[in-house]
């Protein structure tokens, strides 16, 4: 088994959904590839995140916010193509325009493998509407775009790493925004997730203060949901992460990560169900 050297929000979410799926994604030395996963969710999200990051970065913050060129550039997938575009945009003098964003969208949207034409049309129109709104947004208060963080959880726990889509500062303090291409979450669902508290911890380390407001921007639906998160919730999430890491180590010592069956997740997002006896039990394998 590979050593667990770092944690991330996505890794923690996968472990929560199914420890066995986490094992195959992050620990299994054989590195099995995922199969049967609906890739359009991720690919569409990558495209929209690229546009909503690179417009303000090239128009307003080219010299003031850190940017690290990507070494992974490829014509084979949408992520590799966009990495190349981001490098080029940061090297040239001219900022990204709305017209150029629309051209990129038209060129790369066909690379996304949607399950049917109806969903393709739905996502296309929603994305088009959002892209046209990007130049009209207030970008004057940004202090971080794709802000990279590392949280030392101490007590022998490996560091927690990730990126925050957008950090702003107004006259009241910091505001954190995460872009989502899923359907809007309820307030209760947002408060139950560890992602925003993790971003709160990261902001304290990077900027010396906690955000007073957290936002999910659901780009396909033109809806922004705002919440306030008390510091007690950050402490709770930190302790939960430490406990989950202890569980990971315990399963690693045992040499076995248990499967946790959840029908929709297993069939659409796991990618390793062919390697899961529990999945086969429920699906006649």
């Amino acid at each position: 088994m590979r050593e667990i050297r770092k944690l991330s929000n996505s890794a923690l979410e996968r472990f929560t959904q199914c420890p066995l799926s986490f094992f195959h994604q992050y620990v299994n030395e054989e590195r099995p590839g995922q199969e049967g996963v609906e890739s359009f969710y991720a690919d569409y999200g990558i495209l929209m995140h690229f546009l909503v990051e690179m417009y303000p970065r090239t128009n307003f913050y080219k010299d003031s916010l850190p940017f690290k060129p990507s070494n992974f550039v490829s014509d084979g997938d949408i992520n590799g193509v966009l990495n190349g575009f981001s490098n080029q945009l940061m090297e040239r003098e001219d900022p990204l325009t709305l017209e150029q964003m629309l051209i990129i969208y038209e060129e790369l949207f066909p690379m996304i493998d949607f399950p049917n034409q109806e969903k393709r049309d739905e996502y296309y129109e929603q994305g088009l509407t959002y892209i046209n709104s990007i130049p009209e947004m207030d970008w004057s208060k940004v202090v971080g775009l794709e802000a990279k963080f590392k949280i030392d959880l101490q007590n022998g726990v490996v560091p927690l790493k990730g990126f925050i889509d957008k950090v702003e500062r107004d006259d009241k303090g910091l505001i954190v925004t995460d872009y989502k291409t899923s359907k809007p979450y309820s307030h209760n669902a947002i408060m139950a997730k560890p992602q925003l508290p993790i971003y709160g911890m990261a902001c304290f380390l990077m900027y010396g203060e906690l955000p007073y407001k957290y936002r999910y921007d659901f780009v396909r639906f033109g809806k922004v949901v705002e919440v306030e998160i008390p510091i007690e919730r950050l402490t709770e999430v930190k302790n939960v992460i430490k406990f989950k890491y202890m569980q990971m180590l315990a399963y690693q010592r045992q040499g076995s990560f248990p499967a946790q069956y959840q029908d929709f997740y297993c069939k659409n997002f796991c990618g390793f169900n062919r390697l899961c006896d529990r999945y086969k039990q429920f699906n006649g394998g």
Side-chain angles (χ1 to χ4, degrees), residues 38-56:
E38 293 284 10
S39 63
F40 76 91
Y41 293 111
D43 289 345
Y44 183 83
I46 289 169
L47 177 55
M48 298 305 295
H49 273 78
F50 169 83
L51 295 172
V52 80
E53 175 197 354
M54 296 309 296
Y55 179 82

Side-chain angles (χ1 to χ4, degrees), residues 219-238:
V219 303
R220 290 174 46 223
F221 299 91
K223 182 176 182 179
V224 176
V225 179
E226 297 182 347
V227 298
E228 295 180 8
I229 300 177
I231 191 171
E232 293 80 11
R233 175 59 178 155
L234 274 62
T235 302
E236 177 186 346
V237 167
K238 184 176 181 180

Side-chain angles (χ1 to χ4, degrees), residues 11-68:
L12 289 165
E13 283 190 350
R14 186 173 285 267
F15 182 79
T16 300
Q17 291 285 351
C18 176
L20 181 60
S21 183
F22 169 86
F23 164 77
H24 288 308
Q25 179 73 6
Y26 296 99
V27 185
N28 190 345
E29 290 183 345
E30 296 180 1
R31 300 176 182 267
Q34 295 192 66
E35 296 180 6
V37 176
E38 293 284 10
S39 63
F40 76 91
Y41 293 111
D43 289 345
Y44 183 83
I46 289 169
L47 177 55
M48 298 305 295
H49 273 78
F50 169 83
L51 295 172
V52 80
E53 175 197 354
M54 296 309 296
Y55 179 82
R57 185 181 286 281
T58 59
N59 277 272
F60 310 109
Y61 301 102
K62 193 169 186 179
D63 299 320
S64 59
L65 293 179
F67 173 81
K68 182 178 180 180

Side-chain angles (χ1 to χ4, degrees), residues 104-156:
I104 292 172
Y105 188 65
E106 293 292 341
E107 288 183 353
L108 297 192
F109 188 84
M111 293 182 67
I112 304 173
D113 186 19
F114 288 92
N116 54 63
Q117 189 63 43
E118 181 180 1
K119 192 164 290 291
R120 176 182 292 273
D121 293 343
E122 175 189 4
Y123 273 64
Y124 174 82
E125 292 299 332
Q126 291 169 328
L128 197 61
T129 298
Y130 189 80
I131 293 167
N132 277 286
S133 73
I134 291 176
E136 306 303 320
M137 298 177 185
D138 180 6
W139 296 107
S140 64
K141 301 177 178 66
V142 174
V143 295
L145 289 170
E146 285 294 308
K148 185 178 181 179
F149 66 82
K150 175 182 176 182
I151 303 173
D152 184 0
L153 297 168
Q154 302 178 337
N155 303 119

Side-chain angles (χ1 to χ4, degrees), residues 7 44 135 148 215 243:
L7 296 174
Y44 183 83
K148 185 178 181 179
R215 292 172 175 161
F243 177 74

Side-chain angles (χ1 to χ4, degrees), residues 63-89:
D63 299 320
S64 59
L65 293 179
F67 173 81
K68 182 178 180 180
S70 175
N71 292 323
F72 174 68
V73 177
S74 167
D75 294 332
D77 69 346
I78 196 167
N79 191 42
V81 172
L82 290 174
N83 284 342
F85 281 175
S86 64
N87 292 347
Q88 294 170 19
L89 287 170

